Amino acid sequence: MAAVALEAAAGGQCRLRPFSCELGLLSRPDGSAAFLQGDTSVLAGLYGPAEAKISKELPDRAALEVLLRPKVGLPGVMERSREQLLRQTCEAVVLGVLHPRTAITLVLQVLSDAGSLLSCCLNAACMALLDAGLPLATLFCGVTCALQLDGTILLDPTARQEQREEGADGQHQGQLLRGGDAAVPGCSPARRRHHLPVLP
């Protein structure tokens, strides 16, 4: 398990926390991955393609379901919103037409949240898809960034930085996604958050 730290050349002010990934941690899922970014960590397990229930079966492609489990408690509105983004992102790259009338289930368990949780979930999802050996059109990754009041971009904010910046008027936060030629969808705005455009 190798940790990687990226740092911009301009004064070292734009940097990502060290991150690492480990594949195949779980024996029951068809693919699994643990992704750690700073003190934020997510465990992903992927099941399928498997036989789908008749009510969820799609005749022309695989039905993809994403479940996001918080560290404690039951999933809420924020988890449902993140599940939708994760599902749309995975559907954009998984070649589901090769497995019609089947079901693919991706379960993400939050182990710790120290900021930039959504991008950590995206990266864990991509690694789980790779570990399961599903046919993909391209790969994707996520990086959280925040546009501060002075116009500077804060990469990979911690939970404390996210809370501090959310209280400032005009704060923007979003996920910069890279997905090759795939049309990776963005998030819908929430509160005063606005999401930056997808990178080509």
Side-chain angles (χ1 to χ4, degrees):
M1 182 168 61
V4 181
L6 299 179
E7 185 172 333
Q13 297 178 355
C14 242
R15 70 173 63 177
L16 297 178
R17 292 173 293 174
F19 60 88
S20 60
C21 178
E22 190 169 350
L23 303 180
L25 291 174
L26 304 176
S27 59
R28 296 187 66 181
D30 297 295
S32 62
F35 198 91
L36 295 85
Q37 191 163 330
D39 291 328
T40 301
S41 60
V42 175
L43 182 63
L46 190 136
Y47 302 85
E51 184 178 353
K53 294 181 180 179
I54 296 179
S55 60
K56 296 184 178 181
E57 186 180 274
L58 299 175
D60 59 339
R61 65 185 187 278
L64 179 63
E65 181 180 19
V66 176
L67 304 172
L68 178 60
R69 304 296 185 212
K71 182 178 179 180
V72 293
L74 298 173
V77 176
M78 182 61 71
E79 284 76 22
R80 297 300 180 220
S81 175
R82 289 172 174 165
E83 285 176 354
Q84 182 180 7
L85 170 69
L86 290 161
R87 180 179 53 79
Q88 291 173 343
T89 303
C90 292
E91 283 180 342
V93 300
V94 173
L95 299 177
V97 294
L98 300 179
H99 300 282
R101 301 182 183 276
T102 62
I104 300 171
T105 304
L106 176 63
V107 182
L108 296 122
Q109 174 65 56
V110 177
L111 302 179
S112 63
D113 181 7
S116 303
L117 178 62
L118 182 55
S119 58
C120 193
C121 289
L122 285 163
N123 295 327
C126 183
M127 294 297 103
L129 290 170
L130 280 176
D131 189 53
L134 286 178
L136 306 175
T138 186
L139 301 179
F140 61 90
C141 67
V143 177
T144 302
C145 64
L147 181 60
Q148 302 181 97
L149 290 175
D150 60 1
T152 59
I153 294 179
L154 177 64
L155 282 183
D156 194 19
T158 63
R160 181 177 297 180
Q161 289 171 327
E162 287 178 347
Q163 291 172 359
R164 184 181 68 237
E165 294 300 326
E166 278 182 357
D169 291 334
Q171 186 265 342
H172 297 69
Q173 183 174 341
Q175 310 298 318
L176 296 178
L177 303 178
R178 286 195 180 276
D181 296 328
V184 181
C187 301
S188 58
R191 296 182 186 175
R192 282 177 289 191
R193 291 186 180 184
H194 301 278
H195 294 271
L196 302 177
V198 174
L199 295 177

